Amino acid sequence: MINHKHKFIFIHTEKTGGTSIEKCFIDNADEVDVEYKHHDVRFYFANFKEFDDYFKFSIVRNPWDRLVSAYNFYKNSMKLIDFTFEEFIEKIGNKESMLDSISFIDYAIKPCFHKIRIKGNIVVDFVGKFEKLQEDFDYVCKQIGVETVKLPHVKKTVHDYYTEYYNEEMIKIVEQAYVSDITRFDYKFGE
């Protein structure tokens, strides 16, 4: 999302509360696709001369938790997958496509780091965390000069606490597949 009025670029990584953030700036953000909704930072760098001058931010999320949310969203809300969570994690570990005809799922579950880097370096001005979304959104609002508002909870998935979904092998698969997010953003299983 790029907002010329408030001079910011929001790199929306999937299942991190991004639609809730977009809803604060676009009334129907949860009903229609936001222009440039899920593009990575490289897209904005290549296509907008304002890139260097605008405040750039993104939100990341604990990968174990994010995958539980993504799985439940794609299985229950969108009805796009029909396999178990364990099979979902195995596919990630084996680098298998989730569905040949719906490759966007594969893109959507890439590590958050993938979307905010250029040549291995994070190039956004601020990386907030889903785990303290309101607090970090308040910080963003101050940076771009807008009044803080309470974030709505849009596209919420209903599921048990994420640790209930994993066995030891699945924990290790995610640890290996999402090492960039885990190390850069200091995530641990169960925290």
Side-chain angles (χ1 to χ4, degrees):
M1 168 185 199
I2 187 165
N3 184 298
H4 297 291
K5 179 180 179 184
H6 300 294
K7 299 185 177 181
F8 72 83
I9 296 171
F10 171 49
I11 309 302
H12 181 168
T13 54
E14 291 79 357
K15 303 313 295 169
T16 61
T19 302
S20 297
I21 290 171
E22 290 166 345
K23 183 114 176 108
C24 292
F25 297 98
I26 301 170
D27 288 339
N28 60 349
D30 59 332
E31 298 164 11
V32 298
D33 199 20
V34 174
E35 189 173 28
Y36 315 124
K37 185 175 180 82
H38 289 296
H39 286 297
D40 62 31
V41 74
R42 292 172 296 284
F43 168 82
Y44 293 99
F45 178 77
N47 291 290
F48 293 97
K49 65 184 182 329
E50 301 91 347
F51 184 84
D52 288 333
D53 299 325
Y54 280 20
F55 182 76
K56 296 163 289 297
F57 72 99
S58 189
I59 304 294
V60 297
R61 183 176 185 175
N62 179 310
W64 292 281
D65 184 28
R66 183 171 167 241
L67 290 173
V68 168
S69 180
Y71 173 78
N72 281 286
F73 180 70
Y74 293 123
K75 181 178 176 74
N76 301 325
S77 299
M78 296 189 73
K79 310 249 186 265
L80 294 176
I81 55 179
D82 62 354
F83 38 85
T84 67
F85 183 69
E86 187 168 358
E87 291 168 324
F88 180 71
I89 296 301
E90 287 171 359
K91 286 177 180 284
I92 290 169
N94 295 329
K95 297 185 168 94
E96 290 178 41
S97 179
M98 293 297 151
L99 289 176
D100 293 331
S101 62
I102 307 179
S103 61
F104 77 86
I105 294 176
D106 298 320
Y107 180 74
I109 60 171
K110 283 186 180 290
C112 295
F113 173 69
H114 172 80
K115 292 190 82 169
I116 61 174
R117 61 148 173 90
I118 296 177
K119 296 183 180 176
N121 296 310
I122 294 174
V123 295
V124 296
D125 301 303
F126 178 71
V127 178
K129 288 192 168 185
F130 176 83
E131 295 77 17
K132 52 186 193 131
L133 186 59
Q134 184 66 56
E135 178 184 333
D136 286 349
F137 181 66
D138 291 349
Y139 173 81
V140 167
C141 289
K142 288 177 186 159
Q143 295 303 303
I144 62 175
V146 300
E147 189 175 323
T148 59
V149 296
K150 182 168 174 32
L151 283 167
H153 199 155
V154 182
K155 293 189 177 178
K156 180 179 181 176
T157 56
V158 178
H159 52 77
D160 292 334
Y161 190 63
Y162 78 89
T163 58
E164 301 298 313
Y165 287 77
Y166 289 90
N167 60 37
E168 286 301 317
E169 183 180 341
M170 294 162 68
I171 292 169
K172 289 184 190 323
I173 290 170
V174 174
E175 191 173 278
Q176 291 171 351
Y178 291 82
V179 67
S180 60
D181 284 3
I182 292 165
T183 57
R184 281 178 179 82
F185 308 124
D186 194 31
Y187 280 116
K188 294 175 180 57
F189 184 79
E191 292 183 2

